[in-house]
């Protein structure tokens, strides 16, 4: 399937879900760690994921407001939607219904940080593809801005990971 076929509204709708799942992930992760610095980082990241979801939702809502049909259902291609959802749900944050199961597998702080780091890296790759193919300037800008913010998340998580490892040596 060509990425050019991806409907931006579908991409935005799924981006909202990804960011909401990120919020849910970090909120649950806070409960799994005792380190104060890690808790603080996860609280900040949860807030940023929530803000990202709101940003994408606003762009999505504006698209709909500008749509003379007043509905988004007619523009969705079920195959494209399934494709995007499969990529995002398997490669970024776990879906909300699976976060508890994923957290049950966590044995220590390093597992949580590994999961967070991988999810942030995957989101950068996912949003990079969407940014390249976005035709709407607001969507392209939002994807590009988010990529920059997700890179900061990777740096912050990696920095904390390195700090914790150096403290144990």
């Amino acid at each position: 399937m060509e990425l050019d076929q991806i409907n931006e509204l579908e991409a935005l709708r799924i981006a909202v879900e990804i960011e909401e799942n990120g919020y849910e992930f970090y909120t649950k992760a806070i409960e799994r760690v005792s380190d104060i610095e890690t808790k603080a980082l996860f609280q900040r990241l949860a807030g940023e994921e929530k803000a990202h979801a709101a940003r994408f939702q606003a762009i999505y809502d504006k698209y709909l407001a500008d749509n003379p049909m007043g509905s988004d259902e007619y523009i969705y291609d079920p195959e494209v939607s399934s494709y995007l959802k499969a990529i995002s749900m398997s490669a970024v944050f776990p879906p909300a219904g699976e976060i508890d199961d994923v957290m049950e597998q966590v044995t220590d702080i390093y597992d949580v940080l590994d999961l967070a780091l991988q999810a942030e890296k995957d989101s950068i790759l996912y949003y990079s593809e969407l940014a390249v193919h976005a035709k709407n300037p607001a969507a392209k800008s939002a994807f590009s801005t988010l990529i920059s913010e997700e890179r900061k998340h990777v740096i912050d998580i990696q920095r904390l990971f390195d700090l914790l490892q150096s403290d144990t040596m």
Side-chain angles (χ1 to χ4, degrees):
M1 176 173 302
E2 295 288 322
L3 279 177
D4 292 345
Q5 295 174 327
I6 293 174
N7 180 292
E8 285 176 321
L9 267 175
E10 289 176 276
L12 287 167
R13 182 165 68 174
I14 291 170
V16 169
E17 287 181 37
I18 289 171
E19 298 304 314
E20 287 173 347
N21 290 344
Y23 169 79
E24 195 71 28
F25 173 83
Y26 286 120
T27 300
K28 301 262 184 199
I30 291 166
E31 300 167 8
R32 303 291 294 182
V33 297
S34 57
D35 178 71
I36 294 169
E37 286 182 72
T38 305
K39 280 185 182 285
L41 175 62
F42 286 170
Q43 286 172 331
R44 182 174 57 82
L45 294 177
E48 289 177 13
E49 299 297 338
K50 191 170 195 138
H52 296 163
R55 183 182 310 153
F56 283 128
Q57 187 66 52
I59 295 168
Y60 181 88
D61 291 345
K62 180 159 178 21
Y63 260 133
L64 288 183
D66 294 343
N67 174 7
M69 300 293 280
S71 170
D72 60 353
E73 291 306 315
Y74 78 98
I75 58 171
Y76 289 108
D77 177 334
E79 185 179 336
V80 172
S81 186
S82 294
Y83 169 75
L84 279 175
K85 195 163 204 125
I87 290 174
S88 67
M89 295 308 155
S90 66
V92 188
F93 291 104
E98 296 176 17
I99 292 175
D100 286 333
D101 293 339
V102 169
M103 287 299 173
E104 289 299 317
Q105 307 291 323
V106 169
T107 59
D108 60 25
I109 193 169
Y110 300 108
D111 287 347
V112 178
L113 290 170
D114 277 338
L115 286 169
L117 194 57
Q118 191 58 53
E120 295 293 348
K121 287 178 180 178
D122 289 343
S123 69
I124 291 168
L125 294 173
Y126 183 72
Y127 292 134
S128 293
E129 281 299 307
L130 295 178
V132 166
H133 297 284
K135 295 185 181 19
N136 178 281
K140 186 179 274 295
S141 175
F143 290 134
S144 296
T145 299
L146 187 62
I147 291 164
S148 176
E149 291 174 16
E150 301 292 0
R151 284 183 180 142
K152 290 176 191 169
H153 292 180
V154 168
I155 291 167
D156 291 343
I157 294 166
Q158 187 63 56
R159 187 176 295 137
L160 180 58
F161 191 90
D162 293 345
L163 179 66
L164 291 170
Q165 281 192 318
S166 69
D167 286 348
T168 61
M169 293 182 171

